[in-house]
Structures are given as structure tokens and as C-alpha cells.
């Protein structure tokens, strides 16, 4: 059996995904064969493996950090919210049905523990180390009985636990102490210590607090990671304010040509795979923003309708806010509009949905000659081909089956004038295709914009992952981290009262 570690957090968005990716990149640079793992992920940003399995995009990016091919073993349970109360359950990369939160936590989640532990055991039998990511906080005492992603899996697999706290939010010492103090004695024995994330300023001013925390809990701090812009890997539950920050830490580069291009992404409900536009944001001179009002489309050179887990609900939202008519007006004026997956379906003539919304036949925006029928079987694929004279790759995740009855071919979809639609996610990460597409957008918009000839999205991603590895190597006690991974939590860690309530 190989070594392992569970990276937990005091809260959601404390930095678990980033720290997990950073540890994976640090280890693989030391010659360690390492894999990431997240037992259960709730996210609308997903990815399709080469084996045709759907997993969270964060785990796919962590696999890239570890320089291994992502598989369903790395994220056996994926929950894709469809409303405030229900989610689609994806097990081992395939959807197995919709379930309410009460139904899931009431029994289904515990049934999945065996599958989760089998996947982790298989990874640990293959790799030197497996770095696991928790979800939310391990101190969610209302969910501990059915937990399969935090202390539930740590207890069953005897994993040492490192708790990450975002000091930029404030209250990190109380969060660290409270997290441990709300765990049962058995759980507390596995919590080895803490990692401070997003620290700004002089570390020496923090050290007295870290010493006091160790005296109070008997647990040390394994590192203080400084605040850095542009280190967030693909988002799980939130939307980055500046997408450029997700792929490049340096100051925004100026345009190569005389003009910039402005891209407006309609922030539809249940937006999924909004990471599609990261590649646009990586281009010097391209400004990407999310919008929810018609006036915000006025100066946009390109409008993107992104993917969504609720196509009909998103269409209704666009109409209620006046955005649907604004998009139609753009089309009449010959101004570029791109629909991706759910956004592509919205641009069509008719949506027949007895699966997702169960609303039957709903008229689309009528801008593309496409009729969409929702199938119960989900399409999961990794297509490749050529478009705009350039090779292009992508991935597909959708229930909607599109019947294209006209227009010009565009990937798997079509185009009519300046309106384009496709089910392919990730196509804009193909550098040559992205540059050709932006040249067309600039021409249609009348902008003297020129794509940079040397922007490589893949290279930017690798640089980002290397910076995560650098953070761990330079600001964490890596010798102590490796001892944790190899040998488990230190013996004799004290119990901090009151512990979990009975």
C-alpha cells in the first residue's frame, strides 16, 4: 500500500483544490508517482476522460499536475446540481439518476462508501502516493454520519489529514481550532496539522499565533502559503471574477493589434463549464466579463451563451431579463454570437425536453436551424476534427441531441452568418483554432485586433501548475509533509474538547 494524505479545509474555497494540485506537482518533480483523488465532488464544471467518463474538472487538472491521465477512479462520485434541492448523481463517470439532498444523505451516500474505498485502494496499489481532496469542511457535524469524502474516508483508509485555512477571509485561528474541536476523538487522531493559505504580509507577525495554536491543539502548522494572483485551477463551485487570473499571473498584456476585443458571457442559471472561456481570457488584448443585463452586451464584440445544467430555465432567464431580445438584435446586425452546449441548444428553433426540465416542447431563440431533443442517455465523448482550417479537439457532456437542418457546418453544430453553435466544450483551448476564430470575430466586429502568434494555452496551464508546485516547495515544510504521506499522522495527538456531539 502506498502513502496518502487528505487535504481538508476549514470552509469551502479554502484552497483545497489548489493545495492538492500543488502537492501533486511538487511530488512528481521529486520523481514520485502520484495521483489525485476526490471521493465526492459537487460541481457543474466537469471533464470527459479518454475512457469516456465524466469527472470534475478540478480532478482532471490535478491529474495534469501529477502528469498522469485522469480516470474515473480519481473522482468516483460527481454531483451536478439541477436545483437548490436536487443533483444528478454521476457514479464512476456515468449518470445514475437524479436525487434530492435528503435522499442522498439519507442512505445513498453511505452505500457508495464501498465504491469510493475500492477506487482509493486501487489508486494506492498503483501509485507511490495518493493526495486526496476533501469537500467543504470536515466539521460539518450534521453530515458526519454519512460522510464519504472527509473524515469518513480518512478513518476508513487511515489517512493523515492536513487542514487548509484561507487567512485572507479572516478568523483562521478560530477556524483551525474549531474544526478540530468539533471532531470526535477518533477523527481528531488523524488531524496532523494545518496549512495557512493566501497570507499577505510579514510571516514573522503570524508566527506567535501559530505557536499559540500549536500549544492549544498539539498540532503544528506545515506551511504558510503567500497570496498569489492567478493560482486558482478550474473552478468547482464558483466563478472567477477575472478569468485571466486563472491562467496568467502577470499583468494583463496589451493587444498585439490596435484594438482590444470585448467578450460578454451571459451568466445563465446553473452555468456549467464556464472554463470554456478561460482560453479567450488568456489571449493578450481580449477582455472577458460575465453579464446579466442587456446593456452590458452593447459594447461586446462577441457574446457567448455558455453551457448550463438547465437549458430551458436558462432560456426563460434570458427572456425575462431582456437578454434574449438583445442577442437576437445582435444576430440581425451581423454581430458575433457563440453558443456552447446548452447555449447552442438555446440558439436553435425548438427544444423538446422531457428529461431535464420535463417541460416538453419549448421554442428556442430561432437563430440557428437546429431542433434539440433531450435523451435520457447522456452523450460523453472526446471528439476531434478540423474547423476554420485548423485542427481542434474538445469534449461533449449533454443530454440534448441536436438535429441540424441547415446553415454551414461548425464543429458538430452549425453557423448562420455571425451566429455559431456547438456542443464541444474546450475547443477554444486549441491554439490555432482559437486564433482563427478570434480573427473572424474581429473582422465581423470591425476591430483591428490581432491574436498573439505565440499564445499557447497548454503552456500557460503548465506554468500555472509549476507555480503551484513552487508554492509548496518554497513555503511548506516538505520534509514533514513527506513524513505525513509516508507514515501517517503522528502518534499521541491530544484530544481537543468538546469533540463531536453524540
Amino acid at each position: 500500500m502506498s502513502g496518502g494524505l487528505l487535504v481538508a479545509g476549514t470552509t469551502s474555497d479554502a484552497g483545497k483544490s489548489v493545495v492538492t494540485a500543488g502537492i501533486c506537482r511538487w511530488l512528481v518533480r521529486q520523481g514520485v508517482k502520484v495521483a489525485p483523488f476526490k471521493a465526492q465532488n459537487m460541481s457543474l464544471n466537469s471533464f470527459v476522460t479518454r475512457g469516456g467518463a465524466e469527472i470534475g474538472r478540478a480532478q482532471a487538472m490535478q491529474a495534469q499536475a501529477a502528469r498522469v491521465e485522469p480516470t474515473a477512479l480519481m473522482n468516483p462520485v460527481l454531483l451536478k446540481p439541477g436545483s437548490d434541492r436536487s443533483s444528478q448523481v454521476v457514479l464512476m463517470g456515468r449518470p445514475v439518476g437524479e436525487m434530492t439532498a435528503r435522499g442522498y444523505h439519507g442512505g445513498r451516500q453511505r452505500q457508495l462508501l464501498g465504491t469510493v474505498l475500492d477506487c482509493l485502494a486501487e489508486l494506492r496499489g498503483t501509485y507511490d502516493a495518493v493526495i486526496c481532496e476533501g469537500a467543504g469542511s470536515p466539521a460539518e457535524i450534521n453530515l458526519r454520519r454519512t460522510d464519504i469524502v472527509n473524515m469518513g474516508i480518512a478513518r476508513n483508509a487511515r489517512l493523515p489529514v492536513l487542514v487548509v485555512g484561507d487567512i485572507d477571509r479572516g478568523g483562521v485561528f478560530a477556524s483551525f481550532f474549531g474544526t478540530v474541536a468539533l471532531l470526535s476523538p477518533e477523527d481528531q487522531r488523524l488531524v496532523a496539522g494545518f496549512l495557512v493559505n493566501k497570507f499577505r504580509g510579514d510571516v514573522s507577525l503570524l508566527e506567535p499565533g501559530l505557536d499559540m495554536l500549536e500549544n492549544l491543539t498539539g498540532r503544528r502548522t506545515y506551511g504558510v502559503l503567500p497570496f498569489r494572483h492567478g493560482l486558482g485551477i478550474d473552478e468547482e463551485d464558483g466563478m472567477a471574477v477575472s478569468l485571466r487570473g486563472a491562467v496568467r499571473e502577470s499583468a494583463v498584456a496589451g493587444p498585439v493589434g490596435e484594438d482590444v476585443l470585448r467578450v460578454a458571457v451571459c451568466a445563465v442559471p446553473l452555468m456549467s463549464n464556464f472554463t470554456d472561456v478561460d482560453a479567450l481570457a488568456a489571449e493578450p488584448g481580449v477582455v472577458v466579463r460575465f453579464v446579466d443585463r442587456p446593456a452590458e452586451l452593447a459594447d461586446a464584440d462577441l457574446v457567448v451563451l455558455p453551457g448550463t445544467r438547465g437549458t430551458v430555465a436558462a432560456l426563460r432567464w434570458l427572456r425575462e431579463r431582456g437578454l434574449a431580445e438583445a442577442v437576437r438584435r445582435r444576430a440581425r446586425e451581423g454581430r458575433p454570437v457563440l453558443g456552447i452546449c446548452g447555449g447552442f441548444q438555446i440558439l436553435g428553433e425548438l427544444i423538446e425536453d422531457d428529461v431535464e426540465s420535463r417541460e416538453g416542447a419549448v421554442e428556442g431563440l430561432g437563430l440557428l436551424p437546429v431542433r434539440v431533443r433531450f435523451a435520457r442517455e447522456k452523450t460523453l465523448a472526446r471528439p476531434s476534427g478540423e474547423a476554420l482550417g485548423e485542427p481542434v479537439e474538445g469534449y461533449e457532456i449533454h443530454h440534448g441531441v441536436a438535429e441540424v437542418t441547415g446553415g454551414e457546418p461548425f464543429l458538430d453544430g452549425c453557423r448562420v452568418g455571425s451566429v455559431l453553435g456547438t456542443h464541444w466544450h474546450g475547443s477554444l483551448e486549441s491554439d490555432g483554432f482559437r486564433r482563427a476564430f478570434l480573427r473572424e470575430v474581429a473582422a465581423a466586429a470591425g476591430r483591428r485586433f490581432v491574436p498573439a502568434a505565440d499564445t499557447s494555452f497548454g503552456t500557460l496551464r503548465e506554468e500555472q501548475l509549476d507555480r503551484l508546485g513552487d508554492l509548496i516547495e518554497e513555503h511548506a515544510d516538505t520534509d514533514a509533509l513527506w513524513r505525513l504521506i509516508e507514515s501517517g499522522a503522528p502518534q499521541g495527538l491530544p484530544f481537543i474538547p468538546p469533540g463531536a456531539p453524540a
Side-chain angles (χ1 to χ4, degrees), residues 86-419:
S86 68
S87 294
Q88 183 181 67
V89 181
V90 179
L91 178 63
M92 295 304 295
R94 295 287 173 181
V96 294
E98 296 279 334
M99 190 166 289
T100 64
R102 180 178 292 275
Y104 184 69
H105 290 286
R108 177 62 166 164
Q109 191 175 33
R110 294 183 72 180
Q111 296 171 7
L112 296 175
L113 180 60
T115 298
V116 162
L117 291 173
D118 287 346
C119 290
L120 177 57
E122 186 170 341
L123 289 173
R124 296 183 78 180
T126 305
Y127 292 89
D128 301 327
V130 178
I131 308 303
C132 307
E133 180 188 344
S137 162
E140 291 168 349
I141 54 179
N142 56 316
L143 303 177
R144 176 62 184 91
R145 183 177 61 87
T146 56
D147 171 44
I148 64 170
V149 64
N150 289 309
M151 300 312 299
I153 194 168
R155 282 267 293 278
N156 277 278
R158 304 304 300 170
L159 293 170
V161 178
L162 183 69
V163 180
V164 178
D166 179 357
I167 196 170
D168 201 45
R169 295 181 173 196
V172 74
F173 292 117
S175 297
F176 281 145
F177 183 88
T179 296
V180 179
L182 278 176
L183 300 179
S184 68
E186 295 81 4
D187 286 350
Q188 285 193 24
R189 291 189 193 110
L190 295 173
V191 179
F194 314 107
L195 187 74
V196 176
N197 191 29
K198 297 184 183 178
F199 180 72
R200 305 174 191 251
D202 185 347
V203 176
S204 66
L205 299 177
L206 189 66
E207 288 170 350
L210 300 178
D211 292 339
M212 287 185 275
L213 181 67
E214 185 169 2
N215 290 335
L216 286 166
T217 66
R219 291 157 174 85
R220 57 165 297 181
T221 298
Y222 284 77
V224 177
L225 307 185
F227 185 95
R228 292 285 187 270
H229 290 286
L231 292 182
I233 65 175
D234 289 355
E235 297 284 328
E236 291 188 350
D237 305 313
M239 181 170 63
V241 174
S242 171
L243 289 175
R244 181 175 294 277
V247 291
R248 177 175 287 168
E249 186 179 1
S250 59
V252 175
V256 175
E258 297 179 44
D259 290 339
V260 300
L261 276 187
R262 295 172 176 82
V263 178
V265 184
C266 293
V268 298
L270 296 173
M271 182 166 49
S272 62
N273 287 73
F274 48 80
T275 48
D276 282 333
V277 295
D278 278 2
L280 296 179
E283 284 284 348
V286 175
V287 179
V288 177
R289 66 184 187 273
F290 289 93
V291 304
D292 59 7
R293 295 178 296 175
E296 294 175 302
L297 303 188
D299 68 342
D301 302 306
L302 169 67
V303 168
V304 177
L305 299 183
T308 172
R309 176 80 167 84
T311 300
V312 171
L315 177 56
R316 184 185 306 115
W317 180 87
L318 289 166
R319 286 180 167 137
E320 289 171 350
R321 288 183 167 262
L323 284 160
E325 183 52 40
V327 170
R328 280 200 183 101
R329 186 164 54 248
R330 287 185 62 89
R332 289 194 298 267
E333 295 168 353
R335 303 173 68 195
V337 176
L338 172 65
I340 302 174
C341 201
F344 167 42
Q345 297 165 7
I346 285 169
L347 292 173
E349 297 168 346
L350 183 70
I351 300 168
E352 297 181 49
D353 182 11
D354 295 317
V355 175
E356 193 174 77
S357 69
R358 298 181 175 86
E359 293 195 22
V362 178
E363 286 189 9
L365 296 187
L367 299 179
L368 291 176
V370 175
R371 299 172 71 90
V372 176
R373 176 184 54 81
F374 271 67
R376 297 199 177 277
E377 187 72 20
K378 181 184 282 191
T379 296
L380 298 170
R382 287 282 294 269
S384 61
E386 183 177 300
L388 307 182
E390 298 286 347
V392 58
E393 297 180 347
Y395 57 98
E396 295 184 61
I397 306 169
H398 53 91
H399 284 278
V401 178
E403 179 188 0
V404 179
T405 59
E408 301 175 47
F410 178 71
L411 301 177
D412 70 317
C414 65
R415 66 181 298 173
V416 173
S418 61
V419 180

Side-chain angles (χ1 to χ4, degrees), residues 48-71:
V48 179
T49 69
R50 295 202 180 279
E54 184 180 8
I55 66 173
R57 274 197 67 100
Q59 281 61 65
M61 189 61 64
Q62 289 162 355
Q64 185 177 345
R67 295 179 180 148
V68 296
E69 189 68 32
T71 72

Side-chain angles (χ1 to χ4, degrees), residues 4 7 10 15 23 28 34 37 84 97-98 108 211 225 227 229 255 313 315 450 455 475 490:
V7 178
T10 55
I23 292 175
V28 78
V34 59
F37 178 78
D84 291 340
E98 296 279 334
R108 177 62 166 164
D211 292 339
L225 307 185
F227 185 95
H229 290 286
L315 177 56
V450 178
T455 300
H475 299 281

